[in-house]
Amino acid sequence: MTLPAALAAEAPRAAAMLDRLGAIGADPPGITRHAFDERENAAHTLAVERAQHLGLEIARDAACNLYLTWPGTDRAAPRVLLGSHFDSVRHGGNYDGAAGVVAALAAVSALRATGFRPRADITIAAFRCEEAVWFGLGLVGSRAALGILPPDALDRRRADTGLTLADHIARCGGDPAAIAPGRRLLPNGPIRCFLEAHIEQAPSLIEAGLPLAVATGIPGNIRHAAIRITGEDAHVGLPRRFRRDAALAGAEIFAALDALWAEEEAAGRAMAFTIGRFHTDVTRHEITVVAGEFTFSIDLRAYDAAHLAALDRRFRDILDATAARRGVTIDPGPRSAAPVGPCDPALQASLAAAAARMGIATMPLGSPASHDAANFAAAGIPTGLLLIRNAHGSHNPREAMDAADMMAAAATFAEWLRAEAAA
């Protein structure tokens, strides 16, 4: 069977798997697959069922990451690792993360149908808890796999259950005691490269009319989940000069960050910031009370480590200046960070060439979002990322990836493996 014919035969199976994942996560108006909980477990079980049908080796690590391996003829050769994640944000869409695992499985299935035999092991990974919404820390599974999970991570509590990350890992059959900084959990042996496919989180490919992009890099980020501003509660008639208004301090910080973004954009330096939480204390705020407390979150991201560090300094300067000007105190709270992930130039070129051989048009594009791939790139493992066209962004119920575009990613991976991993 030719590779195009095998991919065509695989397409309905891949679409059906996406439908089953949607049913697992159904949570109107969107999809919720909780990290380290029944729905993420069910998604992993579905992947295992497909792997068993394909005759793949199945393994899990201490953090409950799943590895599905097609054995190569030379088990000592550096393996090719592909993968993504199954967890979602609350009331998100069906494709963020999941499309990457399904595309990798489709690529392997199609290659097997052609009679192809890989020289090195090809392993598909489904990493746990990529989304930061669950424990205030993103990319948890891949960080644990690479031995770079922060020491305090296992004590973080999931907001909806109150249980720690260690508790949830143990409940899913993992071994939190075996997770430690510097201790890798990945399958034994060297890794040639890591490849990931993920829906795009901006409308760039919709705008360009293309199904795929080959990512040039993944931004690093700095996050504070709960920055607390403390001023002083007061009567609404209090003159401005006497106020220590925490809400106005928050608004001033927001405006200053927006001005910073405009300045950086004008200078051609790509970045983004997002304030997702922005509120007074709902148990105390009143229409006739000046807010003495205010809380907000921030995600600050850029594509260059030095640029990200400079932006972090500018952000802290904004906090200090606002605190002094408004007469408030600002506690930034816990800080988390994800590394900048430069995509390997040779992989960018070979993935684009593989897509072209399959008749798939691509474009180079920086990823607007963080992904598990960033951890592998930061660890020095050559990394490639395909971005799949997706309407309406992600982290919302309106994700609208076409299954044919996901199969374009699968075709690109299959052709790349055919050319680069032959026995």
Side-chain angles (χ1 to χ4, degrees):
M1 183 183 292
T2 66
L3 183 54
L7 287 161
E10 185 62 29
R13 286 190 285 269
M17 186 171 181
L18 286 173
D19 288 344
R20 290 182 67 186
L21 286 166
I24 287 169
D27 188 15
I31 294 290
T32 305
R33 288 189 289 265
H34 310 77
F36 293 109
D37 216 326
E38 288 83 357
R39 294 184 181 190
E40 191 185 41
N41 292 346
H44 279 230
T45 298
L46 184 60
V48 167
E49 289 174 5
R50 186 70 187 127
Q52 289 171 332
H53 178 77
L54 295 173
L56 306 184
E57 295 177 354
I58 298 162
R60 295 175 179 83
D61 66 20
C64 302
N65 295 311
L66 176 65
Y67 304 104
L68 312 172
T69 297
W70 186 7
T73 57
D74 180 0
R75 301 302 301 266
R79 78 179 63 240
V80 174
L81 186 62
L82 305 93
S84 195
H85 64 97
F86 281 126
D87 65 306
S88 75
V89 300
R90 297 181 187 89
H91 302 296
N94 192 33
Y95 310 119
D96 185 333
V101 182
V102 176
L105 282 165
V108 165
S109 180
L111 276 176
R112 287 178 64 86
T114 68
F116 176 84
R117 294 186 65 199
R119 184 177 73 86
D121 288 3
I122 297 172
T123 297
I124 300 166
F127 293 111
R128 291 279 186 159
C129 193
E130 193 265 3
E131 302 292 359
V133 298
W134 301 110
F135 295 94
L137 178 70
L139 316 177
V140 166
S142 56
R143 288 182 198 238
L146 287 161
I148 57 173
L149 197 65
D152 68 338
L154 291 171
D155 295 325
R156 292 188 179 225
R157 295 185 181 274
R158 214 176 84 178
D160 57 341
T161 65
L163 298 176
T164 66
L165 175 58
D167 292 334
H168 273 279
I169 290 172
R171 285 179 18 153
C172 292
D175 182 8
I179 302 169
R183 182 185 296 172
R184 284 196 175 187
L185 307 177
L186 291 164
N188 292 331
I191 296 173
R192 175 180 173 180
C193 63
F194 177 73
L195 304 176
E196 182 171 3
H198 203 285
I199 58 171
E200 192 201 0
Q201 283 143 321
S204 302
L205 288 168
I206 296 289
E207 181 180 66
L210 296 174
L212 287 183
V214 179
T216 56
I218 303 163
N221 66 60
I222 292 166
R223 288 172 172 163
H224 293 267
I227 300 173
R228 301 187 185 282
I229 304 173
T230 303
E232 187 173 68
D233 289 351
H235 188 278
V236 291
L238 192 69
R240 187 175 186 274
R241 67 184 181 277
F242 297 123
R243 292 193 181 207
R244 296 174 58 215
D245 189 324
L248 277 179
E252 184 173 316
I253 292 165
F254 205 155
L257 285 168
D258 192 40
L260 170 62
W261 192 358
E263 175 189 324
E264 295 294 300
E265 194 171 65
R269 295 186 291 265
M271 64 156 288
F273 87 91
T274 302
I275 291 179
R277 298 170 181 157
F278 194 72
H279 56 86
T280 54
D281 182 349
V282 297
T283 65
R284 299 180 56 216
H285 62 189
E286 297 290 350
I287 194 170
T288 58
V289 177
V290 174
E293 292 184 7
F294 196 83
T295 301
F296 70 97
S297 66
I298 186 168
D299 176 299
L300 184 65
R301 56 186 55 203
Y303 290 88
D304 175 80
H307 185 206
L308 184 60
L311 292 171
D312 190 25
R313 290 191 294 271
R314 291 283 299 276
F315 172 58
R316 291 183 176 275
D317 288 344
I318 288 170
L319 294 186
D320 291 344
T322 303
R325 190 161 42 247
R326 292 285 178 181
V328 299
T329 60
I330 302 177
D331 177 5
R335 176 186 186 274
S336 64
V340 171
C343 291
D344 182 76
L347 282 174
Q348 290 180 53
S350 60
L351 286 168
R357 291 194 298 272
M358 297 300 290
I360 300 164
T362 64
M363 62 184 281
L365 186 66
S367 170
S370 298
H371 304 287
D372 290 308
N375 285 329
F376 287 87
I381 296 169
T383 298
L385 174 66
L386 295 178
L387 298 172
I388 305 170
R389 177 168 51 190
N390 168 59
H392 312 308
S394 67
H395 290 189
N396 70 77
R398 299 175 67 222
E399 287 176 11
M401 181 198 73
D402 191 308
D405 291 340
M406 183 193 70
M407 288 306 298
T412 300
F413 282 157
E415 171 58 18
W416 187 92
L417 291 166
R418 186 201 62 77
E420 300 288 337

